[in-house]
Amino acid sequence: MSTAISLDHHDDHHALPHGWRRWLLSTNHKDIGTLYMIFACVMLFSGGLMAMLIRAELFMPGIQFLQPDLYNNLVTNHALIMVFGAVMPAAAGMANWMIPLMIGAPDMALPRMNNLSFWILVAGGIMLIMSVVVPFLPGGGTPVNTGWTLYPPLSLQVGMSMDLLIFTVHLLGVSSILASINIIVTLFNTRAPGMTLMKMPIFCWAWMVTAFLLILIMPALASGVTMLLFDRHFGTSFFNAAGGGDPVLFQHLFWFFGHPEVYVLLLPSMGIVAHIIPTFARKPLFGYTSMVGAMVSVGAIGMLVWAHHQYTIGMSLAAVTYFMIGTILISIPVGLMIVNFIATMWRGAMTFETPMLFSIAIIVLFTFAGMTGVMLAVIPGDIQYHDSYFVVAHFHYALIPGALFGLYAGTFFWLPKWTGHMYDEKLAKLFFWLTMVGFNLTFFPQHFLGLAGMPRRIVDYNLVFTEFNKMSSLGAFIFGISQILLPIIIIKCIRGGEKASDGVWEASNGLEWTLPSPPPFHSFTEPPVVK
């Protein structure tokens, strides 16, 4: 991609916002991106603290310090916080920061709506935390102990914290849809002259598919929880079997959202890896067109196989066979992406800075998760493993490398561009290796726990599961404590260090690297030309 751009920005011609107004009323894509990532970091540590409490309780058999309802409440909110509060906002923050820079746009297409969608997210996050606190207040009722799936009939019976959770889902859904509309409009209308869709950076393609997915799936979840609200307070019986309703209907609505949500979390990270590997392998991305096709295929097929989470509800043989075959078919485009990454590295002049280390770890660990995913996609296997710790191990191997590690890789890849300073590489590599050791020690033993028959979402367990649980909890403490290094590295980088060049990395390629590090407040005052 060759470019001819003007860097004659005019920050001094505009009164730049300062103080609280800059952040509360901001319409600047970089400031809003920063806000998203700060919010995600706070929620990451909140959800991570809950995970460590869960693993501390499970270190030994017997009930140590968490009663069953509180334990399941932590399990529920840990999942909701990590999915809606940490991973999705962090990815949205990177989209805000990088999409306009990558396509040569001055800002997001709808900057005021950008501000609105962020603050709606904050309101949703506050209500989510309140749903944890309310059961401790007089008259607060039973905590939400349903797991993140919120299945009735249990969700019809718990206290008012469920109502807070329902409104949380509504707010987060509105925020996600507004942000998605903004991203789609930005990508279609504000690309630099000469940048056709098939010249668009892969990260932008990943976000375009993600944004369409969000617009299609969020209404299904919103409908489900709204019907739940009516069942709880207005005498309807959508899901109440005693009144003629069907709890399984909620499962269909939830998983029509829940399964594509996996790809909402995954695709932005895959888009990030598609930029990092060519940079550190010093080769162009292998198979750009097939990568775009794979992302679109993953999004499309992912919409059609939601009920593979429900093999045990008693569907017909034809239905479960359809969902099994469809689920296995997803491994083709996902495998294609992995092959493209490996082919890009093949005979490349690779170096192993921290973003590259995380990218390679994603390829290895996510491929392993794909293999256990095929085991779960096969009906007889799934009936054996259903609701066991094997499922917990599988989805943590899929989502932590596939989503969280991709965001870590993106953070280290773009941090010098964002701050104007190089981060501490030694400290970052220490963070990487501690994270890898902690992660694998936590979740690898859980495969064996599941295969041996330990069910998930239980506060106590049989003595025969003790050793693997101790290993898992020890790994969780290493994993959790090592995450403290992340904000330390970021703050240290913001405060100073070696000056980053415009291009930062030797083989970096794209419009974003033609701007100074850090980019000026108004990124592109004249559109660059892409040839």
Side-chain angles (χ1 to χ4, degrees), residues 351-427:
T351 52
F352 299 95
E353 288 83 350
T354 307
M356 187 64 165
L357 290 176
F358 269 111
S359 299
I360 293 171
I362 290 165
I363 292 172
V364 175
L365 298 173
F366 189 72
T367 301
F368 178 73
M371 289 189 286
T372 57
V374 172
M375 291 171 68
L376 287 165
V378 178
I379 301 162
D382 182 82
I383 289 172
Q384 171 71 22
Y385 315 134
H386 194 84
D387 269 344
S388 74
Y389 252 85
F390 188 86
V391 179
V392 177
H394 161 71
F395 71 69
H396 279 92
Y397 260 86
L399 290 183
I400 293 181
L404 188 64
F405 288 174
L407 298 170
Y408 285 171
T411 299
F412 289 109
F413 186 49
W414 289 315
L415 192 58
K417 171 58 65 179
W418 295 338
T419 62
H421 301 285
M422 299 303 294
Y423 59 84
D424 187 331
E425 186 67 46
K426 286 183 181 175
L427 208 53

Side-chain angles (χ1 to χ4, degrees), residues 111-149:
R112 293 192 188 282
M113 196 164 87
N114 205 13
N115 177 285
L116 179 65
S117 57
F118 171 74
W119 288 110
I120 291 175
L121 170 73
V122 174
I126 292 170
M127 290 189 75
L128 183 56
I129 298 297
M130 283 173 62
S131 76
V132 183
V133 175
V134 158
F136 293 101
L137 304 177
T142 312
V144 180
N145 49 14
T146 60
W148 84 296
T149 53

Side-chain angles (χ1 to χ4, degrees), residues 507-529:
S508 50
N509 182 33
L511 293 177
E512 67 273 26
W513 304 108
T514 63
L515 289 168
S517 302
F521 190 76
H522 299 291
S523 305
F524 289 98
T525 53
E526 292 181 20
V529 177

Side-chain angles (χ1 to χ4, degrees), residues 100 105 107-112 181-187 189-190:
D107 206 316
M108 297 297 283
L110 306 166
R112 293 192 188 282
I181 291 170
N182 204 355
I183 287 169
I184 291 169
V185 174
T186 302
L187 290 174
N189 292 304
T190 62

Side-chain angles (χ1 to χ4, degrees), residues 486-508:
L486 179 66
I488 291 173
I489 295 167
I490 294 173
I491 291 169
K492 191 177 173 189
C493 184
I494 292 170
R495 295 182 66 179
E498 182 189 345
K499 179 69 181 164
S501 63
D502 295 355
V504 181
W505 310 110
E506 182 183 313
S508 50

Side-chain angles (χ1 to χ4, degrees), residues 267 289-299 332-334 336-337 340:
L267 285 174
T289 306
S290 61
M291 185 70 82
V292 172
M295 287 182 169
V296 174
S297 302
V298 163
I332 296 173
V334 173
L336 182 61
M337 285 193 272
N340 282 355

